[in-house]
Amino acid sequence: MNRRNFNKLLVSSVALSFTACSSLTSVSLPKDKKRVVVVGGGFGGATAAKYLKKFSPETEVILIEQNENYYTCPFGNTVIAGMNDIEYIKHDYKTLESKYKVQVIHEKVAKVDGVAHTVILENGDVIPFHKAIVSPGIDFKYEKGYVEGSEMYSPHAYKAGPQTTLLREQLEGMKDGGTYVMVSPPNPFRCPPGPYERISLVAHYLKNNKPNSKIIILDQKAKFSKQGLFQEGWEKLYGDMIEWRSVEFGGKVEKVDPMKKEITTEDEVVKADVLNYIPSQKAGKLAFDSGLTKGDWCPVNTKTFESRIVKDVYVIGDASIASKMPKSGFSANSQAKIAALQITRKLRNKPIVNPPKLANTCYSLVAPNYGISVAAVYEAHEDKIIKVPGAGGLSPMNASEGFRATEAEYAVGWYKNQTADMFS
């Protein structure tokens, strides 16, 4: 929805009022219903908006997302590797508007003011709320020579869209016999697009198009999730094409030159033909501007996802502190449903669900017909989220080709189901 349509909607549905001492346009709260404003239209925000209307059709739900289309990080690695086109991961908000009656506004949010209970847009509009859900995603820590703008030379491709396309173009343009270097970030980081799935699919592309090439991972960690499964697949499918260097053994980065595509480690200068530098991460800028952070991330009541700093504002997805849950799309989807459910119960003066259950499943493709996975069920307690013992688990080591192929099929099904759950 553009600015003109937004104003038409407001005129027709709510009363407009204007502050006497400000040029900002202010929209009064509806008298006969509650309003929840959701900021951010990704796995967390889009799911929250849809499920708020499913749980509570009488509630007015406004979703604010600056972009008219959303490109998912999950399956973004298949685009980089040429398995899918960018259109495969593109989605819009039309069904949320037409079927679920979510009011969608495509504008950028400047701040969520928890004291005034308002969302302030960069165009000057002010939208009051009874409750707000914020799903701001991640931002980057620019350091060691990788500054804002460096992504044009050495793409991180960690926010899907133009960066995804740029990294794909650079990979396609790399000479046979070239070197693809990835710098993998320290914990915690957004996953997907997991760095190790990306390396796997880049290796698949190179094996079939530029087989004399090499991949080096400079990891800022000593180990990573599903490490044994990934390395088993790399050895089986790609031989010695992939070289992983942990932070303890040659992976630690001292300095980066994005334009020259050079990485300085403790031991040497590594030169890349394609440099995929993934910076350290923190909560999205909006979380900092809205006073929702403590350190790099947003503390929340883990039973409801209400901010521990700002009352009536809920933070879900990558920006929230929800350990043991990983910062994944499935986690954000699960947290969004819990936040929507608990808000609905609070607005109806009913006790919250206690303790709520959450879940996460992550599929990774090591090749188009070779999948691995991890799954877990969680229970939220007073100040932490714990894994339910015996629920979930990892793919087995040394599984058959048929088993891996089936998991790859499940990965595709997972993606279709998750995006349908958000947008259809």
Side-chain angles (χ1 to χ4, degrees), residues 321-339:
I321 299 174
S323 183
K324 303 279 187 177
M325 298 187 79
K327 297 186 181 302
S328 74
F330 197 114
S331 290
N333 175 279
S334 183
Q335 294 162 14
K337 292 170 182 173
I338 292 300

Side-chain angles (χ1 to χ4, degrees), residues 16-27 126:
L16 287 172
S17 63
F18 298 90
T19 55
C21 58
S22 169
S23 61
L24 298 178
T25 301
S26 179
V27 182
V126 178

Side-chain angles (χ1 to χ4, degrees), residues 54 177 199 215 236 244 283 286 393:
K54 286 173 71 76
I199 285 299
I215 295 172
K236 182 177 296 184
W244 176 72
L286 178 64

Side-chain angles (χ1 to χ4, degrees), residues 9-10 12-15 27-38 49 52-53 56-63 100-103 127-131 343 347:
L9 167 70
L10 297 178
S12 62
S13 62
V14 297
V27 182
S28 60
L29 282 166
K31 295 179 180 178
D32 57 344
K33 61 176 67 174
K34 298 293 185 181
R35 174 186 291 162
V36 180
V37 175
V38 182
L52 277 165
K53 291 299 289 186
S56 179
E58 73 276 11
T59 298
E60 183 184 62
V61 178
I62 299 176
L63 173 64
Y100 297 100
K101 309 307 178 188
V102 173
Q103 299 173 29
I127 305 175
F129 60 79
H130 293 95
K131 306 280 188 185
I343 287 174
L347 291 178

Side-chain angles (χ1 to χ4, degrees), residues 60-191:
E60 183 184 62
V61 178
I62 299 176
L63 173 64
I64 306 175
E65 162 57 47
Q66 63 177 322
N67 301 307
E68 294 191 4
N69 294 305
Y70 177 70
Y71 295 88
T72 63
C73 282
F75 269 63
N77 292 331
T78 70
V79 177
I80 293 168
M83 295 162 53
N84 289 307
D85 192 80
I86 191 72
E87 292 295 310
Y88 187 81
I89 59 170
K90 177 182 173 182
H91 303 271
D92 62 45
Y93 302 93
K94 293 177 181 175
T95 303
L96 289 183
E97 292 182 285
S98 61
K99 183 176 180 180
Y100 297 100
K101 309 307 178 188
V102 173
Q103 299 173 29
V104 182
I105 299 170
H106 294 298
E107 294 286 352
K108 189 172 183 179
V109 173
K111 179 183 177 181
V112 177
D113 187 335
V115 175
H117 279 64
T118 57
V119 173
I120 303 168
L121 307 185
E122 284 200 345
N123 66 17
D125 287 330
V126 178
I127 305 175
F129 60 79
H130 293 95
K131 306 280 188 185
I133 297 178
V134 181
S135 187
I138 59 162
D139 214 332
F140 300 113
K141 296 181 180 179
Y142 292 102
E143 55 192 5
K144 301 178 182 177
Y146 196 86
V147 298
E148 198 164 359
S150 294
E151 61 270 20
M152 298 307 298
Y153 307 99
S154 299
H156 51 70
Y158 241 58
K159 292 183 178 178
Q163 277 279 292
T164 309
T165 304
L166 177 60
L167 185 56
R168 174 175 172 168
E169 291 171 351
Q170 290 193 359
L171 182 62
E172 290 174 339
M174 192 178 89
K175 65 183 179 185
D176 186 14
T179 303
Y180 181 105
V181 178
M182 169 189 279
V183 174
S184 186
N187 292 322
F189 63 93
R190 164 183 280 176
C191 183

